[in-house]
Amino acid sequence: MNIGTAASKSGMSAKTIRYYEDIGLIAPANRRESGYRDYSEDDVHLLQFLHRARSLGFSVKQCRELLSLYKDRNRASGDVKAIALGHVHEISEKIKELQAMKDTLETLVDKCHGDERPNCPILKDLAGSEPNNK
Amino acid sequence: MNIGTAASKSGMSAKTIRYYEDIGLIAPANRRESGYRDYSEDDVHLLQFLHRARSLGFSVKQCRELLSLYKDRNRASGDVKAIALGHVHEISEKIKELQAMKDTLETLVDKCHGDERPNCPILKDLAGSEPNNK
DNA sequence: ATAACCCTTCCAGTAACTGTAAGGTCAAGA
DNA sequence: TCTTGACCTTACAGTTACTGGAAGGGTTAT
């Protein structure tokens, strides 16, 4: 099948598939005489794997590791678990960070009357303790 | 003061300050005869504003808006509040997304025995309903 | 004077694509 | 058969917000 078909079956764009080939995340596709890339169901399956992993927030680098473990019939389940756990940790940290930002901003927004008057607590906070109306 | 001093006072790197000047987020600094950039306390204050805004997750583009509101003595508090609220919304969405990822991954990790056997539920999930041990 | 450290500009690299341009291929309808 | 439109190709630029490094000049203290 053509790249467009493989793209819609796997959920990613044709652009992305070519990109993954470019960076060596996936092997170069077979080519027809016309030069068009030609994909099998197995190829699509691999693309789906990648799509799912990326949508779960694994980086391309992590996908590379997961792929090599996926392709290795003797891989240890523990290796995969370690990658996943590491990733869970990263995600937790990111959530904490965002939550802290959100809390701060919500506090500021609450304090802001949000009318036409120029006195804004949000700007005051950003400007620090000693606002400077240059 | 030199850029290094302004950097440590404001909490950002000298590189970043030059970069902000480059992209026009801040005005070009005054120069000494030597060509060195020269910063005043007011400049540092502006840099601190930016540092705080960036650390709260505002994009550079949003910082540009905030800055122009900050410099405008007649700005409406409501404009600032709108930007902040929009940003809070973005952050909330991001948190939801990450939380969903984390939940999925934790479920998978729980199912994984994590030993030396190659049968891994995480890879199975990534591979979809019809695993293919090519 | 010499070391140590600061500053300058400029170019490249990062992550993971997306957009665009210029051109070749394919299938279906007039 | 010709044409139209959808699809494919490569290659290069742009995105975000910086960071790293090279090559070279300025400043300060000993």
Side-chain angles (χ1 to χ4, degrees):
Chain A
M1 77 190 77
N2 281 347
I3 196 170
T5 312
S8 50
K9 279 196 180 193
S10 65
M12 59 178 86
S13 71
K15 274 274 185 201
T16 302
I17 297 175
R18 288 192 203 100
Y19 171 70
Y20 284 169
E21 189 181 305
D22 252 27
I23 62 171
L25 180 59
I26 56 178
N30 294 327
R31 299 289 183 132
R32 299 169 186 278
E33 287 196 3
S34 61
Y36 281 22
R37 286 175 183 79
D38 190 15
Y39 295 90
S40 68
E41 289 298 334
D42 274 5
D43 293 331
V44 167
H45 195 258
L46 196 65
L47 293 173
Q48 283 168 341
F49 178 103
L50 286 173
H51 182 63
R52 172 85 170 135
R54 289 290 297 126
S55 76
L56 284 175
F58 287 99
S59 69
V60 165
K61 192 178 172 193
Q62 286 170 325
C63 285
R64 245 180 248 271
E65 299 179 84
L66 288 173
L67 268 187
S68 76
L69 291 170
Y70 177 58
K71 286 177 178 161
D72 176 5
R73 305 204 75 198
N74 299 316
R75 85 272 165 165
S77 178
D79 294 344
V80 181
K81 189 168 185 169
I83 294 177
L85 272 174
H87 187 45
V88 166
H89 183 71
E90 286 167 24
I91 293 175
S92 301
E93 291 301 305
K94 192 77 196 167
I95 289 175
K96 265 187 226 160
E97 223 177 279
L98 289 173
Q99 194 61 56
M101 281 181 197
K102 193 179 160 224
D103 292 347
T104 303
L105 277 173
E106 278 175 341
T107 304
L108 291 174
V109 165
D110 281 352
K111 281 196 226 149
C112 177
H113 39 69
D115 56 18
E116 298 304 316
R117 283 171 294 158
N119 185 20
C120 177
I122 299 172
L123 290 181
K124 269 197 182 142
D125 174 274
L126 290 175
S129 50
E130 193 191 353
N132 155 15
N133 294 318
K134 181 159 72 172
Chain B
M1 78 191 78
N2 282 346
I3 195 170
T5 311
S8 51
K9 279 197 180 192
S10 65
M12 59 178 87
S13 72
K15 276 272 187 202
T16 300
I17 297 175
R18 288 192 203 101
Y19 171 70
Y20 285 168
E21 189 182 304
D22 250 29
I23 63 172
L25 180 59
I26 55 180
N30 294 325
R31 300 290 184 132
R32 298 170 184 278
E33 286 196 3
S34 62
Y36 282 21
R37 287 175 181 80
D38 191 14
Y39 295 90
S40 67
E41 289 300 334
D42 274 4
D43 293 331
V44 168
H45 195 257
L46 196 65
L47 293 172
Q48 282 169 341
F49 179 103
L50 285 172
H51 183 62
R52 171 85 170 136
R54 290 287 301 125
S55 76
L56 283 174
F58 288 98
S59 69
V60 166
K61 192 178 172 193
Q62 286 169 325
C63 286
R64 246 180 248 270
E65 300 179 83
L66 289 172
L67 268 187
S68 74
L69 291 171
Y70 177 58
K71 287 177 179 162
D72 176 5
R73 305 203 76 196
N74 299 316
R75 84 272 167 168
S77 178
D79 294 344
V80 181
K81 189 168 185 170
I83 294 178
L85 273 175
H87 186 45
V88 167
H89 183 71
E90 286 167 24
I91 293 175
S92 299
E93 291 301 305
K94 193 78 194 167
I95 289 175
K96 266 188 222 159
E97 223 178 278
L98 288 174
Q99 194 60 57
M101 280 181 198
K102 192 177 160 226
D103 291 347
T104 303
L105 277 174
E106 278 175 341
T107 304
L108 291 175
V109 165
D110 281 351
K111 280 197 223 150
C112 176
H113 38 68
D115 56 16
E116 297 305 315
R117 284 172 292 158
N119 185 21
C120 177
I122 299 171
L123 290 181
K124 266 195 184 143
D125 174 274
L126 290 174
S129 51
E130 191 193 353
N132 154 18
N133 295 317
K134 179 156 74 171

